[in-house]
Each structure stands twice: as structure tokens, then as C-alpha cells.
Amino acid sequence: MFELLGTMLPSRLLLGTAQYPSPAILADAVKASGTSVVTVSLRREMAGGRAGEKFWSLIRSLGVRILPNTAGCHSVKEAVTTAKMARDVFGTSWIKLEVIGNHDTLQPDVFGLVEAARILCEDGFMVFPYTTDDLVVAGRLLEAGCKVLMPWCAPIGSALGPVNIMALRSMRGHFPGVPLIVDAGLGRPSHAATVMELGFDAVLLNTAVARAADPVGMARAFGKAVEAGREAFGSGMLEPRDVAVPSTPTFGRAVFHEA
């Protein structure tokens, strides 16, 4: 079990709900992954009309916790307004906060992110900020009232995996008591295992599962990878060495002499 903001969760995998080939495949992927938290965009819910109502009914039938997000917001005002609407629609104070600053990389506007996070935290939200791997920004978000951080490992949907291992390791080391969830850029189950081996608490992904040839199989694979990475971290992995170390002891081995 994984405790996140006072809630016990059976899985350390959080799953997005966009871009799936069909609602049925989405439902099967969520079940196969073992996730207990899914992200939902308010924009999709509000823009879908009857289709949006059916989608919301499907999500509720899965018995998972909803983490609404402010995807597509490019300003503080837009993000804050969307978050407040999401709280009314989904009935939760949890919000994945996105304030996008660059259209090409979808990199967060970290200045707007901190401002929006402060406003929402003061209004009683439990803010999950989608941020970069910058330590200074992370510190400002915590000062603003955030209790959890969601650093990217690569641009959204890029499937590049962790492009700056040192930065992620540094963030984990600087904030040992803060729940850290890697969000964005994971493309393969091995990527998820890698960041979990660094000591991160969970991962959130969408595109790598939704756009796979077999979303259900990929969701299952990511669920297993997250568990494996976490168990490896907790078991104490060997650190890399620059010399060979024999696995068989040399002490007491037989010595043969020529006659």
C-alpha cells in the first residue's frame, strides 16, 4: 500500500484517460494496470456533451480515485478557474495543476505555476503541480503550500524516458520526505522501473499506454514495472563499480601443481 496525502492506495501507478482507441479499451487498461488513481481533464468532460456524460459514468464505474487536471491552461487565471470548476464537477479537492509555458515542448510556465499553486493551496486544494526537475522551483512550490511534486522526466508524450537522471536523483535527495511522482515523457516500462529505482514514490503516464498497439497489455506491463522498480529500490541495489568483482570466492580454492 502507498499512502498519498492521507489516502491509502494499492498502486504506485497513476494513469491518464486520454487518447484511448475506445472507452472499453480504456476501462480494460485501467483494470489491467492495477491503478487506483486516474487523471481526467475538465476540458474533455465539459466539451463532450452527452459523450462527456458517458465518459464520466464510465470512470465512476471503475471505482478509482479521480485526479482532475488543468491540461491545456496557459495562464494563472485560466488554470485557477479550471481547477475550481473541476472541484465542483468531480467533487474532490485534488488537482493536477498544469500551466503550460511553451507550445512546442509543453514545458510548464514555472512562474505562473508557483503563483497558481499558492492561490489554490490557500483555497484548500491539494495541488499536484506538473513541474520541471529544477530544485529552486520545487522549493518555491513547497513554500506555496504544495505537499507533493510532479517533476517531468521528458516532454509530454515524447516517450524519451528520463533524460536527466542526475537532476531526478538530486531532487529525490533534496526532498526526502516529500512525495515525488514522475510525470510526463515515460515511453517504456523500463523507464518507469528506472525512476522507481531512484526512490520516486509513483509515476503518472498516459500516452505510452493509450497509443500502444495493445493498450491493455502495455498497462499491465507498466503496472508490473512500477512494482519491480519500487521493490528493487527497497531491497538495496548494488552500486556500479569500475572493476570486476568475482562472484565465486577465491579463498580456499584448490591449487594444482605440476608433477
Side-chain angles (χ1 to χ4, degrees):
M1 297 293 285
F2 166 44
E3 183 177 356
L4 180 62
L5 303 182
T7 299
M8 299 303 297
L9 303 173
S11 173
R12 293 175 180 270
L13 172 62
L14 290 72
L15 201 61
T17 57
Q19 305 182 59
Y20 287 82
S22 71
I25 292 177
L26 164 60
D28 289 344
V30 169
K31 295 174 183 176
S33 71
T35 185
S36 49
V37 178
V38 299
T39 62
V40 177
S41 170
L42 177 68
R43 287 173 176 267
R44 174 174 179 173
E45 171 68 16
M46 298 301 288
R50 290 186 177 180
E53 293 176 5
K54 291 181 179 179
F55 172 76
W56 179 220
S57 296
L58 170 65
I59 296 299
R60 283 184 294 185
S61 72
L62 296 174
V64 293
R65 184 164 187 127
I66 305 299
L67 175 60
N69 64 59
T70 63
C73 293
H74 290 77
S75 70
V76 172
K77 181 178 180 180
E78 188 179 15
V80 169
T81 300
T82 300
K84 291 181 177 180
M85 292 174 64
R87 180 169 58 182
D88 293 337
V89 171
F90 298 111
T92 178
S93 61
W94 284 21
I95 189 73
K96 178 190 171 187
L97 180 61
E98 298 183 28
V99 183
I100 302 302
N102 186 283
H103 291 278
D104 295 325
T105 65
L106 300 181
Q107 180 172 330
D109 171 0
V110 295
F111 305 102
L113 182 67
V114 171
E115 182 181 350
R118 180 174 291 106
I119 293 171
L120 293 173
C121 287
E122 290 176 353
D123 194 28
F125 281 87
M126 302 298 284
V127 177
F128 292 62
Y130 163 60
T131 183
T132 63
D133 52 20
D134 186 280
L135 295 179
V136 176
V137 175
R140 294 291 186 270
L141 287 167
L142 295 175
E143 291 173 0
C146 296
K147 305 297 183 184
V148 60
L149 298 172
M150 302 185 76
W152 69 352
C153 72
I156 293 174
S158 66
L160 290 172
V163 295
N164 195 338
I165 291 288
M166 292 303 297
L168 292 174
R169 181 177 285 124
S170 181
M171 179 170 282
R172 178 70 284 177
H174 275 76
F175 306 106
V178 178
L180 299 180
I181 303 173
V182 172
D183 176 24
L186 296 167
R188 301 181 180 185
S190 58
H191 296 159
T194 295
V195 297
M196 293 302 291
E197 288 173 359
L198 295 176
F200 281 81
D201 296 282
V203 300
L204 190 157
L205 55 97
N206 187 164
T207 308
V209 169
R211 300 296 294 275
D214 177 7
V216 177
M218 189 62 72
R220 186 179 299 110
F222 267 104
K224 293 177 180 179
V226 169
E227 291 182 5
R230 182 64 186 186
E231 187 166 352
F233 170 74
S235 299
M237 296 174 292
L238 290 177
E239 292 299 320
R241 301 168 178 172
D242 57 4
V243 296
V245 178
S247 58
T248 302
T250 58
F251 178 77
R253 69 181 179 178
V255 179
F256 299 95
H257 299 279
E258 293 184 3

